Amino acid sequence: MATTRMSMAKALNAGLRKAMEQDPRVVLMGEDIGKLGGVFRVTDGLQKDFGEDRVMDTPLAESGIIGTAVGLAFRGYRPVCEIQFDGFIYPAFDQIVSQVAKLHYRSQGNVKMPLTIRVPFGGGIGAVEHHSESPEAYFAHTAGLRVVACADSDDAYGMLQQAIASDDPVLFFEPKRLYQHKGDVDLDRALTSREPLHQARIARTGTDLTVAAYGPVVGTALAAAEAAAEDGVSIEVVDLRTLSPVDFDTLEQSVLRTGRLVVTHEAAVFMGMGAEIAARITERCFYHLEAPVLRVGGFHLPYPASKLEEHHLPDLDRLLHATDRVLAY
Amino acid sequence: MTVTTDQMVQLITPTGERRPHPVYEGLIADLDGAALRGLYEDLVVVRRIDAEGTALQRQGQLGLWAPMLGQEAAQIGSGRALQTEDFVFPSYREHGVAYCRGVDPADVFGMWRGTSLSCWDPYDINMAIPAIIIGAQGLHATGYALGLKRDGVEAAAVAYFGDGATSQGDIAEALGFSATYQAPVVFFCQNNHWAISEPVGLQAQVPIYQRAAGYGMPGIQVDGNDVLAVLAVTRWALQRAREGSGPALIEAVTYRMGPHTTADDPTRYRPTGELEEWRERDPLARMLALLQREGLADDAYLESVTAKADAVAAELRAGCLALPDPAPLSMFDNVYAEAHPLVAEERAQYAAYLDGFEGSN
């Protein structure tokens, strides 16, 4: 297996390119994705190679981008929409939750909505407001949508192609602080050779407790596990990868082995992914849990000014503080 | 506010006289006596379908109905301008357009009876399922039209919406996107003067068709109670869209003579005398007057029209009453196109729960 070392942004670019080569019905839409290659350069060079018809710079209107993609999907296309920043997705919320999510259901399965909606998400880049949000729970809450988040270059490359190939609409969350992080990517691998789109991955094995994470904080969880190991604590890290559906089977098996669970994400803890995961794992593993499931994440506040974001975002120390509490039961 | 302008296209006066027009008259020159009679029959039949919907709701057979009384010419005129490959994105009041697309009359009622969320397979009749969210379908039509253009198909998409929808961002974005990409889409606004209780003056301070200019597309105001004028302008807009000349906005000035839905009470907001004023511009009476003037409305023909309306009404009533109640577990169908473990889990749990009742009675 020959691998290539590349940034997550380049891996996403390679994934888009491959999907476009393999299916002429794949079209890209978004603001500044053409000549500029997107503000994060994820679509760099694609308009030059595939033309303006397949890599469409759109007017600045998010509802327009998604609503037009719905019409293209009606016609049999597979649009891949780029939302420029997480905080810009709200103008498109109605089209996503009322139309994209529900058209297959409302039409009794007659109309397919194979859209992929790419959303750079999360903080840690010192941005101004509306540029660092984690809106994934809104979409995971909506039946009809699939929601995933990649955490490394290889998954970015593979999961994006899997999302585009899915006949369901997929919200594809890209941790923007990892865009320039490099990792090994097997560019020739078959889509099924790593995990299927809706399967979690054991990123590190351990025996004392499980930490579940996705997207930007998978790396934080792995660093915490590394630090804990020096104190003789063995942490298993599960990269959830998929937020709707959640791969509860993989998570349950991990918790049955370790007896303890901490869930971490950047989004606010209140009513977030961690709440659902804690409830379901408690239901499934009630007699095996040695401690309550704890959550580590953002606070119940608008994303703060960038000089404060290090306090808002879950970091290594806050995560270890929680694992200590769980182990103390 | 004044809603009609000197530019409003009219080919039949309210008393049924032909009115010449240098451009649009020629676009319906092919209509012979049989075609004119056919249009009148359509108007009568869809009025009857609509009345049947109201009656079925009043009899407790439908949960709700959105009457189109008064808008028959706007819908038949535009609907009969369509070709098979054209694709319609309607709102929830386009019963007349659905009839033109060849929908099975009973299929219209599933949504209103509550047996399903939709009415038909969009690909059977090239018409999307009704949009309830106001204006969302304008963008869908734009995207579909882009697809037609890419596929090299000489066809157009049509978005139907009301005057209230012109206040929605999605309609503004659809006008913008379609102009940017020169998408073959026709925006057909039925200005029926009322968005539930809100008069059109609360949505628009200039005639709606004039908005087109700001987007760089033609806007046409047409007498929406004049079936020939609507047919002519829609043919014009569709043809230029199919030929690659881009989108157009049609404002059909008409009037919703009934309530917004059967749950609405227009006597709370409609000014005295307004309904009577519009009754004098009734689209059916106008077309009948034209037929009579041209010697096309003998007794035998009028009887055949009534018989057709009776037959359609009987068929749709029987079809509506025969719609089966859906099986409980069918609510889990089609949430996703591909297998989804959460839906499967909840379905299995609810099935087991329901099974628990068997044998207990």
Side-chain angles (χ1 to χ4, degrees):
Chain A
M1 180 181 86
T3 61
T4 309
R5 194 153 181 83
M6 57 171 64
S7 69
M8 183 182 281
K10 286 213 162 32
L12 289 163
N13 182 278
L16 288 172
R17 179 177 291 278
K18 194 155 183 183
M20 294 182 79
E21 282 168 356
Q22 289 179 347
D23 187 346
R25 296 243 139 193
V26 174
V27 294
L28 273 45
M29 309 171 64
E31 298 158 6
D32 306 300
I33 68 169
K35 282 202 175 72
L36 182 66
V39 293
F40 293 105
R41 309 294 183 264
V42 170
T43 55
D44 190 26
L46 296 177
Q47 190 182 64
K48 187 170 140 287
D49 294 344
F50 292 96
E52 291 181 7
D53 272 357
R54 293 191 66 195
V55 181
M56 297 164 59
D57 269 325
T58 65
L60 271 73
E62 283 75 14
S63 189
I65 294 169
I66 304 298
T68 305
V70 167
L72 278 162
F74 245 104
R75 182 72 201 162
Y77 284 85
R78 305 183 87 85
V80 182
C81 302
E82 177 173 306
I83 298 294
Q84 200 159 57
F85 282 94
D86 35 51
F88 302 174
I89 201 169
Y90 306 114
F93 195 72
D94 168 58
Q95 283 288 346
I96 296 172
V97 303
S98 302
Q99 309 296 337
V100 173
K102 296 186 173 80
L103 266 162
H104 186 261
Y105 189 68
R106 290 173 56 222
S107 71
Q108 300 176 79
N110 288 311
V111 181
K112 292 211 167 29
M113 280 292 124
L115 274 76
T116 301
I117 302 173
R118 294 181 38 243
V119 191
F121 86 124
I125 61 165
V128 295
E129 60 179 342
H130 310 301
H131 287 67
S132 301
E133 304 193 2
S134 300
E136 60 271 22
Y138 295 116
F139 302 103
H141 191 64
T142 299
L145 300 175
R146 294 176 182 271
V147 184
V148 301
C150 56
D152 63 40
S153 293
D154 198 47
D155 250 355
Y157 173 72
M159 285 175 77
L160 184 52
Q161 293 177 69
Q162 291 169 334
I164 294 168
S166 172
D167 273 343
D168 284 315
V170 180
L171 272 289
F172 192 91
F173 284 96
E174 301 168 1
K176 69 171 82 77
R177 69 161 117 147
L178 299 183
Y179 272 136
Q180 297 312 319
H181 276 237
K182 289 188 175 169
D184 292 328
V185 179
D186 177 8
L187 292 171
D188 299 322
R189 73 177 167 92
L191 286 187
T192 50
S193 66
R194 195 168 167 181
E195 286 82 16
L197 185 59
H198 293 294
Q199 186 182 314
R201 180 173 64 97
I202 309 289
R204 178 188 172 113
T205 56
T207 54
D208 296 332
L209 86 159
T210 300
V211 172
Y214 58 86
V217 291
V218 171
T220 313
L222 288 170
E226 194 70 39
E230 291 171 18
D231 293 333
V233 175
S234 171
I235 293 179
E236 178 149 305
V237 176
V238 177
D239 175 4
L240 288 173
R241 298 174 77 250
T242 171
L243 311 182
S244 178
V246 171
D247 178 8
F248 284 110
D249 291 343
T250 298
L251 195 54
E252 177 184 350
Q253 284 153 22
S254 174
V255 174
L256 290 179
R257 287 194 295 273
T258 64
R260 290 177 171 84
L261 175 64
V262 172
V263 189
T264 183
H265 47 61
E266 285 192 11
V269 164
F270 184 70
M271 291 283 174
M273 291 297 306
E276 179 63 36
I277 289 165
R280 295 246 177 200
I281 288 299
T282 301
E283 191 178 339
R284 286 183 177 221
C285 306
F286 189 71
Y287 294 107
H288 300 271
L289 283 168
E290 305 284 344
V293 178
L294 293 192
R295 292 165 289 161
V296 183
F299 302 108
H300 193 53
L301 40 85
Y303 197 88
S306 60
K307 294 289 188 193
L308 290 165
E309 67 180 344
E310 64 177 295
H311 296 287
H312 179 67
L313 295 173
D315 64 4
L316 182 71
D317 290 335
R318 276 174 62 198
L319 195 47
L320 288 172
H321 182 67
T323 58
D324 286 349
R325 281 180 62 205
V326 163
L327 286 164
Y329 272 87
Chain B
M1 81 183 266
T2 306
V3 294
T4 59
T5 69
D6 293 346
Q7 305 298 315
M8 188 170 82
V9 179
Q10 190 181 68
L11 298 179
I12 321 173
T13 67
T15 52
E17 290 171 80
R18 294 258 191 182
R19 202 173 156 181
H21 189 284
V23 177
Y24 296 109
E25 199 179 358
L27 287 167
I28 54 158
D30 61 308
L31 297 184
D32 57 12
L36 293 173
R37 285 177 164 202
L39 287 170
Y40 179 70
E41 180 191 288
D42 286 345
L43 295 171
V44 172
V45 169
V46 298
R47 177 165 288 186
R48 184 63 177 275
I49 290 172
D50 186 57
E52 205 67 20
T54 298
L56 283 163
Q57 194 282 330
R58 296 300 186 219
Q59 291 160 9
Q61 298 296 340
L62 303 179
L64 191 73
W65 180 249
M68 57 163 287
L69 183 68
Q71 299 178 219
E72 295 86 353
Q75 295 196 16
I76 294 300
S78 57
R80 287 299 181 210
L82 296 163
Q83 294 176 358
T84 307
E85 316 78 51
D86 298 328
F87 205 100
V88 173
F89 288 84
S91 83
Y92 43 77
R93 205 186 296 283
E94 273 68 74
H95 320 306
V97 181
Y99 175 73
C100 292
R101 298 310 277 166
V103 69
D104 179 340
D107 282 356
V108 175
F109 289 107
M111 182 177 114
W112 304 97
R113 194 168 164 83
T115 57
S116 75
L117 297 180
S118 60
C119 301
W120 49 75
D121 180 344
Y123 299 112
D124 281 349
I125 59 171
N126 278 0
M127 179 164 175
I129 57 177
I132 306 282
I133 302 285
I134 303 299
Q137 73 276 20
L139 286 165
H140 305 168
T142 300
Y144 192 92
L146 268 180
L148 287 171
K149 188 176 172 182
R150 283 155 188 274
D151 293 343
V153 177
E154 275 209 19
V158 186
Y160 282 88
F161 53 93
D163 43 301
T166 62
S167 295
Q168 288 279 357
D170 275 2
I171 291 298
E173 293 183 24
L175 292 168
F177 273 61
S178 64
T180 295
Y181 301 119
Q182 289 295 289
V185 56
V186 174
F187 297 98
F188 193 90
C189 176
Q190 291 171 81
N191 173 1
N192 71 9
H193 284 76
W194 291 96
I196 307 189
S197 72
E198 297 191 346
V200 63
L202 201 60
Q203 321 290 341
Q205 299 310 304
V206 296
I208 287 166
Y209 79 96
Q210 290 180 3
R211 294 188 190 194
Y215 291 97
M217 69 177 77
I220 313 154
Q221 191 179 50
V222 62
D223 186 333
N225 286 10
D226 173 346
V227 70
L228 296 188
V230 175
L231 178 65
V233 301
T234 313
R235 278 182 171 180
W236 177 82
L238 284 168
Q239 196 48 42
R240 66 184 294 287
R242 293 188 198 109
E243 288 168 2
S245 299
L249 169 65
I250 296 170
E251 177 194 5
V253 178
T254 181
Y255 193 76
R256 190 193 80 210
M257 292 169 74
H260 166 67
T261 68
T262 45
D264 176 36
D265 175 10
T267 65
R268 293 171 75 102
Y269 54 83
R270 190 133 67 192
T272 313
E274 190 179 87
L275 181 60
E276 289 66 32
E277 199 182 306
W278 279 90
R279 272 207 187 106
E280 289 168 14
R281 303 178 214 172
D282 187 293
L284 274 66
R286 188 182 311 194
M287 192 58 188
L288 180 58
L290 178 87
L291 292 184
Q292 286 167 338
R293 277 178 189 279
E294 302 194 359
L296 292 166
D298 56 66
D299 287 348
Y301 164 71
L302 292 175
E303 278 165 25
S304 76
V305 170
T306 305
K308 173 74 184 273
D310 285 347
V312 171
E315 187 190 344
L316 70 86
R317 173 170 281 268
C320 175
L321 299 181
L323 286 170
D325 281 353
L329 293 178
S330 71
M331 71 179 169
F332 295 100
D333 294 346
N334 298 311
V335 182
Y336 293 89
E338 298 171 1
H340 191 283
L342 179 58
V343 175
E345 182 186 322
E346 292 188 349
R347 181 192 192 110
Q349 285 170 351
Y350 194 60
Y353 171 79
L354 291 178
D355 283 347
F357 290 100
E358 287 190 9
S360 62
N361 32 333

